[in-house]
Amino acid sequence: DAGVIQSPRHEVTEMGQEVTLRCKPISGHDYLFWYRQTMMRGLELLIYFNNNVPIDDSGMPEDRFSAKMPNASFSTLKIQPSEPRDSAVYFCASSPPGRGYGYTFGSGTRLTVV
Amino acid sequence: SQQGEEDPQALSIQEGENATMNCSYKTSINNLQWYRQNSGRGLVHLILIRSNEREKHSGRLRVTLDTSKKSSSLLITASRAADTASYFCATSYDKIIFGKGTRLHILP
């Protein structure tokens, strides 16, 4: 298995532009999580899905952020419009059905908004 | 907050020594997990201990859990240069919440 695949690895964009981050979870995993990591705030859970349905989006910073999971093998996190304070590393993770399993993380997308 | 808090924030030890990191949390949990993150990489799951377990081993890793004190420890024995990384505890109830991590540096 190729693991959790995120794209792009790096993204540099200008303030005000739309940014779309992509994630392909491990086949058979029915939980998908989006995290953001910064030095100041550490790892923050933004949103998570179970069987493609958003379960908890309380960590999404504001309306500029949106996430979708149209099918079991693909999810997107969109920021529109982007701001410099959105600069961070964004991780996607997936886990198998049921509780009591660790997460498999992707390599992350390093986003820089200038 | 459910978030775990690791202690110390940073730790430097000589290669071959044992490294101990601690984690405290505030609410009930189903399980507690430890992850490692190498610089510039994603997190790697190391070990999971359930709330009804007190100790677990995996290779050179030993994890303990004391639910009465709401604390856990991760012991890495016979440390190696490759163990240099950040280590995070993550508490799980309905979702996993991560602490800020301990930066471990193994000196040659």
Side-chain angles (χ1 to χ4, degrees):
Chain A
D1 198 324
V4 176
I5 300 173
Q6 290 187 247
S7 64
R9 287 297 309 275
H10 302 274
E11 177 81 40
V12 180
T13 191
E14 292 187 345
M15 183 173 64
Q17 296 297 307
E18 176 180 297
V19 175
T20 299
L21 312 181
R22 297 172 175 81
C23 175
K24 176 179 167 55
I26 290 175
S27 177
H29 284 192
D30 66 353
Y31 283 93
L32 184 139
F33 307 83
W34 282 100
Y35 283 87
R36 176 172 70 175
Q37 186 177 36
T38 61
M39 288 292 291
M40 290 295 295
R41 302 172 71 94
L43 270 160
E44 301 173 276
L45 176 63
L46 301 178
I47 185 171
Y48 78 94
F49 296 82
N50 181 227
N51 290 320
N52 313 336
V53 175
I55 303 300
D56 186 342
D57 66 354
S58 60
M60 296 286 262
E62 47 197 274
D63 292 344
R64 298 185 297 106
F65 286 68
S66 62
K68 294 182 180 179
M69 192 165 186
N71 57 62
S73 59
F74 185 65
S75 177
T76 60
L77 178 67
K78 185 178 293 186
I79 307 172
Q80 165 64 19
S82 58
E83 296 182 3
R85 61 192 167 123
D86 301 330
S87 297
V89 181
Y90 291 81
F91 288 104
C92 175
S94 68
S95 70
R99 300 192 181 278
Y101 294 98
Y103 293 0
T104 302
F105 277 77
S107 297
T109 295
R110 181 174 295 278
L111 173 65
T112 303
V113 183
V114 297
Chain B
S1 168
Q2 181 184 321
Q3 184 179 43
E5 189 171 315
E6 293 89 344
D7 170 63
Q9 290 187 349
L11 178 64
S12 292
I13 61 172
Q14 294 293 138
E15 191 169 13
E17 294 181 340
N18 297 340
T20 299
M21 289 158 272
N22 302 296
C23 171
S24 59
Y25 58 93
K26 295 179 180 177
T27 62
S28 298
I29 59 172
N30 289 326
N31 62 67
L32 186 144
Q33 305 179 28
W34 286 90
Y35 288 78
R36 183 187 74 230
Q37 184 179 33
N38 291 93
S39 180
R41 301 289 192 94
L43 281 78
V44 174
H45 180 252
L46 295 176
I47 196 165
L48 179 152
I49 185 166
R50 302 182 194 284
S51 59
N52 61 354
E53 296 176 311
R54 292 297 167 258
E55 188 171 312
K56 204 160 184 181
H57 295 81
S58 176
R60 294 184 296 112
L61 305 181
R62 173 178 168 254
V63 169
T64 62
L65 178 64
D66 186 335
T67 53
S68 66
K69 295 181 179 178
K70 292 186 168 55
S71 67
S72 173
S73 67
L74 170 67
L75 169 68
I76 303 175
T77 60
S79 62
R80 305 168 181 170
D83 295 328
T84 293
S86 291
Y87 291 81
F88 296 86
C89 73
T91 52
S92 174
Y93 190 72
D94 56 349
K95 57 193 176 187
I96 291 183
I97 305 294
F98 287 84
K100 293 283 181 69
T102 292
R103 295 186 308 280
L104 175 65
H105 185 57
I106 308 300
L107 303 168

